[in-house]
Each structure stands twice: as C-alpha cells, then as structure tokens.
Amino acid sequence: MKNKNVFNDNENLNPKEFLTILEKLKSIPDYQNLGFTLKSLCKITQTALLADLSFPEYTEHNKWDIYNILQLLRSLIPEDELELLDKLNS
C-alpha cells in the first residue's frame, strides 16, 4: 500500500486519498474510459502475439513493441483505486 495507514475500518475511508491515477492521465477523462483503454491495449497485444505465432513472416512489430505495450498497460492499472474498491466491498 503506497498511502499511509489510512484505514483501521471502513469509517476512516477517504476516497480522495485513493482516486489519484486520473489526475496523472490528462487524456483519459474518467475511469470508464480508462477501462476501455486498458481493454483495447490488451486486445492489441493479444492480436500481436497471435500474429507472431500464426504469421511470423508478415508481422512488422518486434518483441520490444509487445513489451512496451505491456509496460504501458501495467502503468495504467489504478492500484490505489482497486484497493479502495476492495475496502468498500468488504
């Protein structure tokens, strides 16, 4: 957990301490669009991997391109926000 010990129970939960990822992503207006973006990047990466397996002679990307997309995906996952959802759900 990146934040200080914010909660002892759900009464101490302050969503503003967790909902921080969108402030850093100026081109993504809300969490629903963030979800759509993550799904799209996953589909593109899956397609690239399948193309490598099925038609390696026709692919124009290399393994670093796939690595970079996966690294971008990892950076977009809103970890603090997911932790908040877990806490709210318990």
Side-chain angles (χ1 to χ4, degrees):
M1 184 165 111
K2 294 179 187 174
N3 295 326
K4 300 175 239 163
N5 190 1
V6 180
F7 20 54
N8 297 325
D9 55 36
N10 285 348
E11 291 176 19
N12 295 335
L13 213 52
N14 183 358
K16 291 186 179 188
E17 294 190 31
F18 289 89
L19 302 176
T20 58
I21 192 79
L22 288 181
E23 293 173 8
K24 300 173 190 170
L25 303 172
K26 303 298 181 198
S27 63
I28 299 176
D30 55 35
Y31 285 97
Q32 188 171 21
N33 278 302
L34 176 59
F36 294 145
T37 301
L38 291 171
K39 279 185 174 182
S40 294
L41 288 169
C42 285
K43 287 179 186 178
I44 289 168
T45 307
Q46 288 175 314
T47 301
L49 289 171
L50 285 175
D52 274 350
L53 294 172
S54 302
F55 308 102
E57 65 276 6
Y58 296 114
T59 58
E60 294 186 24
H61 59 271
N62 61 38
K63 293 188 185 333
W64 283 109
D65 295 326
I66 294 172
Y67 175 86
N68 288 333
I69 290 174
L70 292 171
Q71 186 66 28
L72 176 62
L73 275 166
R74 285 183 60 194
S75 74
L76 291 175
I77 294 172
E79 293 175 13
D80 289 342
E81 288 84 341
L82 295 173
E83 183 178 347
L84 172 66
L85 291 173
D86 279 342
K87 294 291 184 183
L88 290 173
N89 196 31
S90 63

